[in-house]
Amino acid sequence: VQLQASGGGLVQPGGSLSISCAASGRTSHINVMGWYRQAPGKEREFVATITSGGGTNYTDAVKGRFTVSRDNAGYTVVLQMNSLKSEDTALYYCNYKDYRNWSTDYWGQGTLVTVSS
């Protein structure tokens, strides 16, 4: 499975940004896709996920500000980020896993989101 992320960039505090990720290769229709992030000097942390059935999960720090969604085909996931804060600055990694082996994670290359005035 290959993951290609796009989007990201520089945005002012309070602004909005969207990042997306497309999965290709040996994918399965029963999967979970989502986003993790790693800020400078910190460990990678969970941000949000969405199942192939549409169920979503968010870390408390982004609830009410971020929305994760996916396209009808089920292999592109989008993270819409609103009311961005400086602490949201991080490298955002797309993640994919599926029912054939839930313990195997696939990762995208990371896309940088910088929130700064």
Side-chain angles (χ1 to χ4, degrees), residues 8 23 36 72 85 87 91 111:
Y36 290 69
N72 289 336
K85 306 175 182 179
E87 51 262 44
L91 199 56
T111 185

Side-chain angles (χ1 to χ4, degrees), residues 12 15-17 23 30 36 41-43 59 61 63 92 102 108 115:
Q12 293 187 342
S16 298
L17 199 63
I30 302 175
Y36 290 69
K42 295 188 176 181
E43 295 188 353
T59 188
K63 283 181 181 176
Y92 283 70
W102 291 116
V115 185

Side-chain angles (χ1 to χ4, degrees), residues 19 35-40 42-48 59-62 65-66 79 81 84-94 107 111 113:
I19 54 178
W35 296 92
Y36 290 69
R37 66 186 181 186
Q38 187 167 16
K42 295 188 176 181
E43 295 188 353
R44 191 175 298 188
E45 64 175 4
F46 166 78
V47 177
T59 188
D60 286 346
V62 308
R65 300 189 298 121
F66 290 13
L79 186 67
M81 302 177 286
L84 282 159
K85 306 175 182 179
S86 58
E87 51 262 44
D88 295 317
T89 294
L91 199 56
Y92 283 70
Y93 292 93
C94 179
W107 296 97
T111 185
V113 173

Side-chain angles (χ1 to χ4, degrees), residues 52-117:
S52 46
T56 58
N57 192 25
Y58 298 90
T59 188
D60 286 346
V62 308
K63 283 181 181 176
R65 300 189 298 121
F66 290 13
T67 302
V68 62
S69 62
R70 60 197 303 160
D71 69 344
N72 289 336
Y75 299 114
T76 296
V77 62
V78 176
L79 186 67
Q80 176 65 43
M81 302 177 286
N82 299 326
S83 302
L84 282 159
K85 306 175 182 179
S86 58
E87 51 262 44
D88 295 317
T89 294
L91 199 56
Y92 283 70
Y93 292 93
C94 179
N95 175 269
Y96 170 99
K97 59 182 70 175
D98 68 44
Y99 80 100
R100 292 169 296 184
N101 189 344
W102 291 116
S103 63
T104 296
D105 289 284
Y106 295 89
W107 296 97
Q109 80 278 17
T111 185
L112 182 62
V113 173
T114 303
V115 185
S116 175
S117 55

